[in-house]
Amino acid sequence: ANLGVAFATVHCGENPDMLRAAVDGSGGKVGVLGVTVLTSVSKDHLRSAGYREEFCDDLSSLVVRRAADARAAGCAGVVCSGQEAGRIKEAVGSDFLTVTPGIRPAWEGIGKDDQQRVTTPEQAIRNGSDYLVVGRPIRDAQDPKAAARQVVAEIRAAREGLTGRS
């Protein structure tokens, strides 16, 4: 909390008391974000880990449940796939932050790596994501500056599309 960071992440899966302890430890200086289910995790991964079939059949229900636990513990928001951001906003409130990794720009294509639940910047924003985490598409680009500019252009277009609607 004394380092001046805006957010810190903790995993939601183990224990709601852990989430509350992290929020208490933040001293109100850091927004604690609960990591719901990593974007690299698939339904098959959950099944092999022994999760109940209801969560394997509808992974989003597990994500929303963990988001509700994070909200109840006082977290500022969660880290979730852009596929799930809208359901989280509907379930726990539009003021609850959704931070979305697994962003794959439209020009890059989806399905090239280990990420299972990915979205384009536009999809994530339209689904309600508040912050996007864009790593590999920029890091691995031949021209990272140009890639970052393209991502920003996609984000800008998506935001303009939202404000242009009635």
Side-chain angles (χ1 to χ4, degrees), residues 3-162:
L3 296 176
V5 298
F7 299 113
T9 60
V10 295
H11 283 269
C12 290
E14 287 72 31
N15 182 337
D17 292 335
M18 178 190 69
L19 294 172
R20 281 189 285 281
V23 170
D24 291 345
S26 75
K29 297 178 184 177
V30 176
V32 176
L33 303 172
V35 178
T36 56
V37 176
L38 298 174
T39 55
S40 60
V41 172
S42 70
K43 295 175 183 187
D44 291 335
H45 293 132
L46 291 180
R47 190 170 281 113
S48 69
Y51 277 79
R52 292 193 322 230
E53 202 58 36
E54 69 183 272
F55 295 131
C56 298
D57 289 342
D58 181 12
L59 193 145
S60 293
S61 65
L62 176 60
V63 171
V64 171
R65 182 178 180 166
R66 288 183 173 175
D69 288 346
R71 177 79 184 217
C75 290
V78 291
V79 178
C80 65
S81 166
Q83 296 173 4
E84 297 136 0
R87 280 188 66 184
I88 290 169
K89 297 285 189 177
E90 289 172 9
V92 300
S94 61
D95 62 330
F96 195 60
L97 295 176
T98 52
V99 176
T100 300
I103 297 296
R104 297 298 180 261
W107 48 265
E108 182 189 58
I110 291 180
K112 294 182 179 179
D113 55 39
D114 65 324
Q115 297 296 295
Q116 303 292 315
R117 296 178 350 274
V118 298
T119 59
T120 66
E122 178 182 8
Q123 291 167 328
I125 289 168
R126 289 188 183 280
N127 288 343
S129 296
D130 297 296
Y131 292 90
L132 306 184
V133 179
V134 185
R136 295 176 198 179
I138 295 170
R139 179 196 71 194
D140 296 345
Q142 286 186 342
D143 184 347
K145 283 184 184 180
R149 286 186 190 106
Q150 283 183 277
V151 170
V152 169
E154 277 190 54
I155 292 168
R156 185 174 291 120
R159 290 180 50 86
E160 288 171 0
L162 287 179

